[in-house]
Amino acid sequence: MTEQKKKLEKLSGVKGMNDILPQDAALWEFFESTVKSMLRAYGYQQIRTPILEPTQLFTRGIGEVTDIVEKEMYSFTDALNGEHLTLRPENTAAVVRASIEHNLLYDGPKRLWYIGPMFRHERPQRGRYRQFYQVGVEALGFAGPDTDAEIIMMCQRLWDDLGLSGIRLELNSLGQPEERAAHRQELIAYLEQHVDTLDEESKRRLYTNPLRVLDTKNPAMQEIAQNAPKLVDFLGSESLAHFEGVQRLLKANNIPFKINPRLVRGLDYYNLTVFEWVTDKLGAQGTVAGGGRYDPLIEQLGGKATAACGWAMGVERILELLKEEDLVPAPEGTDIYVVHQGDAAAEQAFIIAERLRDTGLDVILHCSPDGTPASFKSQMKKADASGAAFAVVLGEDELAQGMVGVKPLRSASLESTGQKNEQATVPVEDLTEFLINAMVATADDSAD
Ligand code: ATP
Ligand code: MG
């Protein structure tokens, strides 16, 4: 009987959820380290919450008639215990939940930040995925407009640190719930007058979330949205003073902005300041960050009424911008690549590689894919491709005399060690010191 080998079908990942491949690692690391140093500059502390939360957190926190809760959540019932769970679509509600649960605000306000994947069941397209990363900040317990201005300026500092330009700031105030209620009545009356021109989505939202009608991207409805009663005309003196306070600080710090009276944001929990950072360089998905004040949320989730504001930033969209603007950093190579020939040399190479790592050097030890030794020539090719500054070369004859070879690669040089800039032969016991000196000299050279 002949054994028939069945070719197994290739598996793919979930649609709209991306693998982040090694070739993009340098870009992600550049972004993450830049964002972390910006956050440190403003005294923010990291918080990490679970990816799964009880579904109720989002229905209560984000609001039943928002895009996210209506149609974008990955919600399911845990087959083992019947709990209703949701993969987090955003992280503000979870950070607030954790702050209440652990009483984080007992000794005063907190500045918190997070980074991690979020999940929304949307139609995948450029800049819109079903799993995507957000970096976000939540300033909990600060009521003044200085905090609104500060979190906005953090974004500007990040753009500057990343080298990005042309990201515009749009600003609006949603006032307080009572002011929104007064505006809502007039807005509904206005929209009722134009009900024939409303699209299906807007008709559906007319009585549930009329503010969102103003946010429509439908070209046929732009005029209606443009001429609708403006929320800003319903703001009382306190709300106006807050809004003006934010604007004053931004102006004093030379942060340009545009007031967009139709900016409402997709989530229910906002009040007063809302803002978005927008670019024209990413096509339709041009909003790279959004945020605002959400003073009602903490109480709404069962905590003591506490002022709060924050933003969330779409990491993939920013990385796309960095690529678009050719700001992708070169991947970092290793320091040393160790090549070797022969059994005795292989064992020595293993030991030497560990010694070098003990001193803090980054070392790749050559390993052949099939377990049989490759020629020095093919090993040296790998050494070149690794980005290492130096190759350490272990041959059996040299080793027998207690010596190893050191060969400079790429821009590295041995001149500072008094050697010619070609392969040097060094006693094994001097290797570490020799390499450290050569690495330091190379780093100094490239800094010049
Ligand atoms: P949009 O109007 O683009 O749907 P949103 O209002 O739903 O955005 P927020 O909930 O405010 O977005 O999230 C903040 C940021 O997260 C957005 O400005 C965007 O940069 C990013 N973002 C949101 N949804 C996605 C997604 N599906 N894929 C990639 N990034 C996203
Ligand atoms: Mg959305």
Side-chain angles (χ1 to χ4, degrees):
M1 201 168 71
T2 53
E3 181 115 335
Q4 270 206 333
K5 253 199 175 166
K6 196 168 146 222
K7 193 155 190 289
L8 293 176
E9 207 181 315
K10 210 165 60 178
L11 299 174
S12 327
V14 177
K15 189 175 166 203
M17 302 201 177
N18 298 317
D19 296 310
I20 297 157
L21 301 175
Q23 67 244 31
D24 281 333
L27 182 58
W28 279 79
E29 275 168 25
F30 166 61
F31 174 76
E32 284 171 2
S33 65
T34 309
V35 94
K36 278 181 194 168
S37 75
M38 179 280 287
L39 291 161
R40 205 175 314 120
Y42 288 88
Y44 275 69
Q45 295 177 297
Q46 192 179 19
I47 180 164
R48 304 187 195 212
T49 56
I51 282 168
L52 274 181
E53 292 281 349
T55 299
Q56 215 199 350
L57 173 65
F58 302 114
T59 48
R60 225 165 93 190
I62 299 175
E64 298 274 4
V65 289
T66 56
D67 276 357
I68 293 181
V69 173
E70 274 183 341
K71 54 188 188 207
E72 295 175 359
M73 294 210 299
Y74 280 93
S75 298
F76 59 95
T77 307
D78 185 333
L80 298 177
N81 61 9
E83 278 182 279
H84 297 288
L85 303 176
T86 293
L87 284 168
R88 62 182 184 194
E90 59 99 55
N91 211 29
T92 299
V95 169
V96 167
R97 184 220 21 92
S99 309
I100 299 169
E101 193 167 336
H102 304 286
N103 206 13
L104 285 189
L105 304 180
Y106 79 97
D107 60 348
K110 288 282 174 305
R111 295 179 170 88
L112 305 175
W113 73 275
Y114 61 82
I115 184 167
M118 306 297 155
F119 304 84
R120 296 185 194 176
H121 203 288
E122 304 197 70
R123 189 170 68 78
Q125 52 196 290
R126 181 186 183 200
R128 195 177 288 289
Y129 310 105
R130 290 179 173 175
Q131 174 175 330
F132 61 98
Y133 280 73
Q134 281 185 342
V135 170
V137 302
E138 315 296 352
L140 307 179
F142 302 96
D146 49 348
T147 303
D148 309 45
E150 186 176 272
I151 64 168
I152 290 172
M153 290 180 46
M154 290 166 77
C155 297
Q156 180 63 55
R157 185 174 295 277
L158 180 63
W159 314 145
D160 294 345
D161 291 351
L162 291 169
L164 290 172
S165 57
I167 307 181
R168 292 177 278 108
L169 173 62
E170 298 200 348
L171 203 60
N172 193 18
S173 175
L174 299 183
Q176 298 295 7
E178 321 77 73
E179 294 156 354
R180 281 229 291 279
H183 168 254
R184 186 189 152 104
Q185 267 193 341
E186 291 220 6
L187 179 60
I188 290 177
Y190 167 85
L191 293 173
E192 279 172 337
Q193 283 165 24
H194 297 86
V195 72
D196 295 339
T197 19
L198 297 186
D199 59 17
E200 281 314 305
E201 179 143 290
S202 303
K203 276 187 194 141
R204 201 167 48 81
R205 286 194 165 133
L206 177 50
Y207 299 103
T208 55
N209 199 350
L211 211 48
R212 277 310 295 276
V213 176
L214 300 184
D215 203 20
T216 178
K217 304 226 159 65
N218 182 350
M221 286 188 45
Q222 294 310 306
E223 205 185 315
I224 293 182
Q226 201 71 55
N227 298 328
K230 291 190 175 38
L231 181 48
V232 70
D233 297 329
F234 291 76
L235 299 191
S237 58
E238 269 186 46
S239 294
L240 282 174
H242 188 99
F243 196 28
E244 276 154 17
V246 178
Q247 294 177 52
R248 206 166 37 243
L249 284 168
L250 293 176
K251 282 182 193 153
N253 288 280
N254 301 315
I255 307 284
F257 59 85
K258 192 185 106 189
I259 292 180
N260 174 359
R262 288 167 54 190
L263 180 65
V264 300
R265 311 269 311 127
L267 296 81
D268 264 7
Y269 49 58
Y270 287 106
N271 70 324
L272 294 174
T273 317
V274 288
F275 61 88
E276 283 187 351
W277 288 94
V278 190
T279 172
D280 300 322
K281 294 173 186 155
L282 292 178
Q285 269 59 252
T287 307
V288 292
R293 191 159 271 290
Y294 52 89
D295 299 330
L297 182 64
I298 300 182
E299 190 174 26
Q300 200 175 309
L301 290 176
K304 205 172 103 215
T306 310
C309 61
W311 48 251
M313 193 175 280
V315 178
E316 283 84 350
R317 293 187 190 179
I318 292 164
L319 299 191
E320 179 87 13
L321 258 187
L322 287 168
K323 286 186 182 173
E324 197 87 3
E325 306 218 339
D326 261 339
L327 293 168
V328 179
E332 263 185 59
T334 187
D335 297 327
I336 311 290
Y337 194 101
V338 181
V339 308
H340 51 90
Q341 197 92 75
D343 288 346
E347 194 170 319
Q348 272 302 309
F350 199 97
I351 294 166
I352 285 173
E354 285 299 321
R355 287 287 131 68
L356 296 178
R357 292 185 189 113
D358 288 344
T359 69
L361 289 167
D362 300 336
V363 183
I364 294 179
L365 172 62
H366 182 83
C367 286
S368 55
D370 58 1
T372 60
S375 69
F376 263 134
K377 193 168 162 221
S378 84
Q379 293 193 37
M380 285 308 295
K381 266 196 192 157
K382 292 274 188 313
D384 271 321
S386 74
F390 296 96
V392 168
V393 185
L394 282 84
E396 256 162 335
D397 295 346
E398 291 88 338
L399 265 181
Q401 298 165 22
M403 305 295 277
V404 293
V406 174
K407 190 174 187 312
L409 304 169
R410 301 186 308 149
S411 56
S413 163
L414 286 177
E415 272 160 24
S416 66
T417 63
Q419 308 261 359
K420 281 207 219 119
N421 198 27
E422 49 203 42
Q423 181 158 330
T425 308
V426 190
V428 174
E429 64 270 21
D430 297 343
L431 177 67
T432 312
E433 206 189 333
F434 181 88
L435 280 175
I436 289 176
N437 289 336
M439 286 292 299
V440 169
T442 300
D444 287 350
D445 276 0
S446 56
D448 286 348

